[in-house]
Amino acid sequence: MPLVDLANTKVRVVGCSAVMAVGQLISNAIANPATLAAGLTGSTIALGGVSILAAIAGSMAETMAADVLANRMAEKLAKNPQILDNHDLIKAAGEAIGYILKGVAKSDELIAIAETKQLTYPEQDLNELADKTPEYWQNINIQGADLSRGLQISEEQLTLIFSADAAEFDRVTGLTPEDWATFLQEFARSEEKSFDAAIVDFVAQRLYETFPKAYREVLKQDAANGGEKFAAMLLNLHQIALADLKDLGLQNREILDKLESVATREHICQVMAKLDAMEIGIRDDLAQIRNLLERYIDPTAPGLPIPVKSETIIRDRIKDFTGRKFVFEAINEFLNTKRQGYFVLEAEPGVGKSAIMAACVVSLNRRCITHFNSQPDGIVSAETFLENACTQLIEGFHLKDKYPRIPESAVA
């Protein structure tokens, strides 16, 4: 792959990554979990990329179609020098690629391809590439890139990117499979590795299908852990996008207020951490739990805004979770036979009670009030629990107009 093509590939991936991050930030900053607040255009607006873009476009000084607005924003971001030089953005994209390579390396489909063609298993080579991806990606020189080519994001893809519905965003795709295939071949060659064409095609297809989702997962995990790595990057992207919207003539004060309120690292992390995304490649053990409990999930119920600290605990606890199926069968039996009451889980310290509860939250798609005590963080009081529970209910069921702040009596 010629170096200039590699530079163009990097520019397009970084540009698309910026657009994806901005789309999710804007959508989740101005949208409630179920409906967009009434008043943006005089009536309640259903969720979805089209409606959010249409709400913004309809608030411009001159009427602008939603797809025109999205394209103009995408092009402005793609050619912004702050974007192309943003090392954190480039690193986040590289981490997403490495994340996918590690997942693909151990997939049953890849093993089947290798066995069918009597090839050496590529797992070790792909894992080694995955470990080196962020550094390799960072070091690609983009000076020869042709910025006139644009990002080539379709209108349909832009609609999905600017959606606050996680299921919609999960249908976003990245570069073409051919782009990813040539990137993978060049990357492997630079590390003195080579793969059979069938292996390359399979891995490239996975990169094509899952890069946006993996990229968002990288940002979400960072936000859930306090935004130690990428919060400043997201804040910078948000500020650039907001400035562009103002330049284009955004006048609606309510939309501006919502977007401008996302103006600190803490707020950025809250917005990203609240994304109610499906887990990438959910493990078999968690899938079995979901199968047991899914009958109790109301698909129309909102996903509640779990506190950032609780999200951190959940991710930590389910990371190495395995087994315990008998516990979930007992929970399932209780829910199936008892119309009221509560289930008590008792065990010695350190045997996995928090992990079981975290797995329940994930399996219920976060459609439940969630609170974890944390002694090191001082989260141990009944008042803190009540405050967390009330906040989740108020935000999840759109009661901020009625309860702009938690009533004192609620936590007394």
Side-chain angles (χ1 to χ4, degrees):
M1 184 179 189
L3 291 179
V4 66
D5 287 347
L6 193 58
N8 286 327
T9 298
K10 178 178 177 178
V11 166
R12 289 173 59 200
V13 170
V14 171
C16 288
S17 298
V19 174
M20 287 186 284
V22 165
Q24 288 292 278
L25 280 172
I26 287 178
S27 299
N28 285 277
I30 68 175
N32 291 319
T35 58
L36 199 60
L40 296 186
T41 60
S43 61
T44 300
I45 304 171
L47 258 187
V50 172
S51 59
I52 288 174
L53 288 174
I56 298 175
S59 299
M60 295 297 178
E62 297 179 3
T63 301
M64 180 183 296
D67 59 328
V68 174
L69 169 64
N71 273 298
R72 287 182 65 173
M73 286 189 63
E75 289 306 308
K76 278 176 168 285
L77 283 168
K79 296 176 182 179
N80 189 306
Q82 295 180 61
I83 298 298
L84 298 180
D85 293 335
N86 192 310
H87 292 287
D88 282 339
L89 177 62
I90 296 168
K91 184 177 180 181
E95 287 191 9
I97 295 170
Y99 184 96
I100 295 169
L101 292 180
K102 280 188 177 292
V104 172
K106 59 184 179 183
S107 68
D108 292 338
E109 297 93 330
L110 196 66
I111 293 173
I113 292 173
E115 290 179 346
T116 300
K117 303 198 71 173
Q118 298 182 329
L119 302 170
T120 302
Y121 289 154
E123 181 175 359
Q124 182 176 342
D125 283 345
L126 284 173
N127 278 329
E128 290 176 359
L129 288 182
D131 290 337
K132 294 181 178 181
T133 301
E135 180 182 1
Y136 175 78
W137 194 247
Q138 192 86 48
N139 290 333
I140 296 174
N141 190 327
I142 63 171
Q143 288 184 355
D146 180 7
L147 299 182
S148 66
R149 293 175 57 182
L151 297 181
Q152 301 171 336
I153 305 177
S154 69
E155 292 178 11
E156 178 187 8
Q157 289 291 297
L158 285 167
T159 293
L160 299 176
I161 287 170
F162 280 83
S163 174
D165 184 340
E168 289 287 295
F169 188 89
D170 288 347
R171 292 166 48 214
V172 175
T173 54
L175 304 183
T176 67
E178 292 76 19
D179 288 333
W180 285 119
T182 49
F183 161 74
L184 179 63
Q185 288 169 325
E186 175 61 22
F187 185 16
R189 185 199 62 75
S190 71
E191 295 295 323
E192 299 182 346
K193 302 180 187 299
S194 64
F195 299 106
D196 181 84
I199 299 291
V200 171
D201 289 344
F202 175 77
V203 176
Q205 186 67 26
R206 283 294 182 88
L207 286 163
Y208 164 71
E209 293 172 349
T210 62
F211 172 77
K213 192 175 180 181
Y215 170 69
R216 184 174 67 170
E217 190 68 15
V218 166
L219 300 183
K220 275 182 58 190
Q221 289 178 2
D222 177 55
N225 290 321
E228 295 299 323
K229 293 164 65 177
F230 301 125
M233 172 199 84
L234 291 170
L235 182 57
N236 178 248
L237 292 176
H238 178 75
Q239 290 170 337
I240 292 172
L242 184 55
D244 285 343
L245 281 173
K246 289 181 178 179
D247 288 344
L248 290 171
L250 180 60
Q251 293 183 324
N252 187 290
R253 191 65 246 171
E254 185 171 354
I255 296 178
L256 279 174
D257 286 345
K258 284 179 175 290
L259 294 180
E260 289 176 340
S261 70
V262 187
T264 68
R265 168 180 170 148
E266 179 184 359
H267 291 156
I268 287 286
C269 288
Q270 288 174 354
V271 168
M272 292 303 297
K274 286 178 182 177
L275 290 173
D276 185 24
M278 296 290 289
E279 288 69 29
I280 296 178
I282 186 168
R283 300 192 308 277
D284 289 342
D285 45 5
L286 293 179
Q288 290 171 7
I289 296 167
R290 177 167 291 172
N291 290 338
L292 280 173
L293 301 181
E294 64 182 359
R295 74 183 68 179
Y296 307 108
I297 301 175
D298 178 2
T300 65
L304 300 184
I306 297 174
V308 171
K309 185 59 189 177
S310 291
E311 280 284 10
T312 302
I313 292 172
I314 289 169
R315 292 188 181 282
D316 179 66
R317 295 299 188 274
I318 68 171
K319 182 172 57 178
D320 300 314
F321 183 86
T322 185
R324 318 294 212 290
K325 187 176 179 181
F326 69 95
V327 178
F328 296 98
E329 288 175 342
I331 295 173
N332 180 64
E333 175 67 17
F334 174 83
L335 293 172
N336 205 32
T337 58
K338 308 294 183 183
R339 295 178 59 87
Q340 58 188 10
Y342 52 88
F343 188 95
V344 178
L345 181 63
E346 294 182 314
E348 295 296 322
V351 299
K353 297 186 297 297
S354 295
I356 289 169
M357 290 296 96
C360 278
V361 174
V362 171
S363 298
L364 292 169
N365 286 335
R366 293 166 171 78
R367 291 185 170 94
C368 54
I369 295 174
T370 302
H371 177 85
F372 286 87
N373 280 352
S374 175
Q375 189 78 40
D377 295 291
I379 305 175
V380 293
S381 68
E383 290 80 6
T384 303
F385 161 72
L386 288 169
E387 183 177 346
N388 275 342
C390 291
T391 298
Q392 290 174 53
L393 290 171
I394 289 171
E395 294 188 11
F397 288 91
H398 332 308
L399 302 174
K400 281 190 174 182
D401 289 342
K402 187 175 182 180
Y403 300 106
R405 61 181 58 85
I406 298 174
E408 291 183 7
S409 60
V411 295

